[in-house]
Amino acid sequence: MTQGRKRVVALISGRGSNMEALLRVARLPGCPYEIVGVVSNVPGAKGLEMAARAGVATAVVNHRSFETREAFEEVLHETLLVFAADIVACAGFMRIMTEGFVGRWEGRMLNIHPSLLPLFRGLHTHRRALKAGVKVHGATVHFVTPELDGGPIIIQGAVPVLPDDDEGALAARVLQVEHRIYPAALWQVAAGKCRLEEGRVKTSDWPVAERARLFCPDVDILPRQD
Ligand code: GRF
């Protein structure tokens, strides 16, 4: 029954809740992708257990075992080839990747970042959002390019920043959005309805209304068509 589905490998470094969300949607009828493997650069990463319990093959490529970034990436790349990955989904994968490695997966590697890019690239996004006093925050799924958190945006999801928020409360609200938009983006990419062309995201047959509802489901910004 899995014939024709795109083979996705998730790269993780920790908890793996985004990977779990991708996996949950992969089980829905008609989903155009399957998660064929989960690879972590951190031995003992919590998400590995979860993947194994779900019957997904796992592998560890420990970056600390390599002298150079390139040597690490060479083995990571080979591992992805062993899984015969069509698409690579970075899901809390905390490694900066070289241009060479990224180039090999151009248009086939996605990432989720916990901010409304291009705001707050890098780490501690929720802390920085609170400090900046923004009233809207969120998450972004984008194609990976050599520029850190700088690749073309596929979809974003927004949440309000509430007056009493601390970093944890805001992170939890954003995480819910992450779990909704990442599977949606991967679905479209796997279905061939969203692709990277000449450095830009091209979509076809992905209704604007659906994307708008994913962006901010609590606000009806477009007339409903159903
Ligand atoms: C998520 O917030 C993701 O956006 C960021 O790291 C976190 C990973 O969480 N890149 P999880 O491992 O998916 O639970």
Side-chain angles (χ1 to χ4, degrees):
M1 270 316 277
T2 56
Q3 220 181 359
R5 297 170 85 195
K6 287 282 188 279
R7 298 175 61 85
V8 175
V9 172
L11 299 184
I12 65 166
S13 297
R15 182 177 54 182
S17 72
N18 275 291
M19 175 268 293
E20 194 174 1
L22 297 178
L23 203 49
R24 208 176 307 126
V25 170
R27 297 194 188 105
L28 296 178
C31 183
Y33 72 83
E34 59 179 323
I35 306 287
V36 294
V38 173
V39 181
S40 175
N41 65 311
V42 178
K46 201 158 166 271
L48 287 171
E49 269 170 50
M50 206 289 298
R53 269 202 310 275
V56 179
T58 62
V60 173
V61 184
N62 185 350
H63 64 279
R64 292 178 196 275
S65 309
F66 299 89
E67 281 188 10
T68 62
R69 205 174 280 280
E70 286 78 7
F72 161 68
E73 287 176 343
E74 196 53 45
V75 174
L76 183 60
H77 181 71
E78 279 164 19
T79 307
L80 293 171
L81 295 183
V82 169
F83 279 117
D86 297 310
I87 299 173
V88 179
C90 302
F93 184 61
M94 305 302 282
R95 296 305 295 163
I96 290 176
M97 293 175 269
T98 65
E99 199 170 338
F101 178 74
V102 170
R104 286 161 131 175
W105 293 96
E106 194 185 328
R108 298 185 295 150
M109 182 152 62
L110 279 60
N111 183 43
I112 181 133
H113 182 75
S115 80
L116 291 173
L117 290 170
L119 285 175
F120 312 124
R121 291 178 181 180
L123 297 175
H124 309 302
T125 56
H126 310 305
R127 193 184 308 169
R128 288 157 62 207
L130 288 170
K131 191 157 181 243
V134 295
K135 301 301 176 225
V136 179
H137 186 41
T140 303
V141 181
H142 62 93
F143 283 109
V144 176
T145 60
E147 192 185 351
L148 182 68
D149 300 328
I153 293 172
I154 298 170
I155 195 166
Q156 296 183 301
V159 300
V161 180
L162 301 179
D164 292 335
D165 274 347
D166 58 16
E167 206 177 330
L170 187 53
R173 195 174 308 121
V174 171
L175 197 62
Q176 288 183 13
V177 166
E178 294 186 36
H179 294 167
R180 200 169 60 231
I181 63 173
Y182 206 1
L186 182 56
W187 184 300
Q188 297 299 324
V189 172
K193 294 178 178 180
C194 174
R195 53 205 171 271
L196 186 65
E197 275 177 30
E198 292 165 6
R200 296 185 72 85
V201 174
K202 288 272 162 26
T203 57
S204 47
D205 200 16
W206 187 3
V208 174
E210 185 192 317
R211 273 181 282 166
R213 278 198 280 276
L214 279 165
F215 174 72
C216 194
D218 300 333
V219 183
D220 238 345
I221 49 179
L222 288 174
R224 296 187 82 98
Q225 287 158 1
D226 45 19

